[in-house]
Amino acid sequence: AIQMTQFPSHLSASVGDRVTITCRASQDIRNDLGWYQQKPGKAPNLLIYATSRLQSGVSSRFSGSGSGTDFTLTISSLQPDDFATYYCLQDYNYPWTFGQGTRVEVQ
Amino acid sequence: EVQLVESGGGLVQPGGSLRLSCAASGFSFSTYWMNWVRQAPGEGLVWVSRISSDGTTTAYADSVKGRFTTSRDNAQNTLYLQMTSLRAEDTAVYYCARDDSLAYSGGYYTYFSYWGLGTLVTVSA
């Protein structure tokens, strides 16, 4: 199975900060990667798919980049609603695998 | 409006069985692949299974292969997850999620744009 290593596991940031989260795949997954945001007690919410395509209705302060094995999610200016946990997911081949998650907390 | 509503969770003893359901509405259920994703308490997300739109193709995580079976009834707009030989480590909130895909020259990008609220399964004596 493809291992998705996500880091950092948690980070503390302030409103207005630029935040970057990284996922590294154990093998080439081309651009078959998405990013999800999850708040406590809620279902995940799709932010980015196909590495860099912004889901409809998601703020443009979220962006994704990368290819092959290294991928990043960037929040250009952190807003109060963005404090949450973020996961990457590879859909290159089965079994699909999520990263371990990054919890973004208030500094 | 797309809605996915899971049900069937509860407390079950180790070695027992349980069937989860996911009732879909607001879209043409029979034309979409569907998934199950779970999350143990305080832990991360884990993809569990996927089923094709016509129900003929399935895929599973290694941790549930041979114990869980995903199926669907397109006439009833319902997705199922039959879980057997349950273990304590299967304790989790189980979400159903709709597959969406974007074709490109090399295949499809797949993503989950709609999720249910989840149903909690607790495996304990």
Side-chain angles (χ1 to χ4, degrees):
Chain A
I2 296 174
Q3 306 300 317
M4 300 301 298
T5 302
Q6 186 174 339
F7 52 91
S9 58
H10 66 273
L11 66 87
S12 297
S14 301
V15 172
D17 285 354
R18 181 181 181 88
V19 169
T20 298
I21 299 168
T22 298
C23 261
R24 179 163 294 153
S26 59
Q27 67 180 71
D28 186 346
I29 59 169
R30 299 184 304 191
N31 288 308
D32 295 359
L33 184 113
W35 291 95
Y36 296 81
Q37 176 195 67
Q38 188 181 33
K39 297 181 179 179
K42 302 293 187 182
N45 181 51
L46 174 69
L47 300 174
I48 301 281
Y49 62 97
T51 297
S52 59
R53 294 177 182 261
L54 190 68
Q55 170 67 351
S56 176
V58 173
S59 171
S60 58
R61 64 180 180 273
F62 293 95
S63 64
S65 64
S67 183
T69 60
D70 292 326
F71 302 86
T72 60
L73 173 70
T74 300
I75 309 173
S76 60
S77 178
L78 199 66
Q79 297 301 300
D81 192 48
D82 301 338
F83 292 99
T85 301
Y86 295 85
Y87 296 91
C88 62
L89 169 65
Q90 69 82 16
D91 60 280
Y92 178 70
N93 65 15
Y94 297 131
W96 291 352
T97 42
F98 286 91
Q100 301 95 321
T102 296
R103 184 177 175 187
V104 178
E105 303 173 322
V106 178
Q107 188 166 45
Chain B
E1 178 193 6
V2 172
Q3 283 200 322
L4 298 169
V5 180
E6 302 92 340
S7 61
L11 175 64
V12 60
Q13 291 188 337
S17 299
L18 206 59
R19 188 179 81 159
L20 306 183
S21 300
C22 170
S25 61
F27 66 101
S28 180
F29 179 72
S30 64
T31 65
Y32 285 87
W33 292 55
M34 297 292 295
N35 297 265
W36 289 99
V37 174
R38 71 183 182 184
Q39 186 170 37
E43 302 295 323
L45 300 169
V46 176
W47 173 82
V48 172
S49 69
R50 187 176 186 228
I51 186 168
S52 61
S53 56
D54 64 2
T56 60
T57 301
T58 56
Y60 297 93
D62 291 344
S63 59
V64 307
K65 201 174 294 183
R67 299 188 299 123
F68 290 12
T69 302
T70 189
S71 62
R72 63 192 296 159
D73 183 340
N74 284 344
Q76 298 294 322
N77 292 338
T78 304
L79 172 72
Y80 299 103
L81 184 67
Q82 178 69 48
M83 305 184 293
T84 63
S85 302
L86 282 162
R87 308 165 180 166
E89 54 264 37
D90 295 319
T91 294
V93 173
Y94 285 74
Y95 297 100
C96 61
R98 192 184 87 174
D99 236 59
D100 285 90
S101 61
L102 174 68
Y104 69 104
S105 59
Y108 291 89
Y109 298 119
T110 307
Y111 47 97
F112 305 154
S113 51
Y114 292 98
W115 298 66
L117 297 179
T119 187
L120 175 63
V121 173
T122 303
V123 184
S124 175

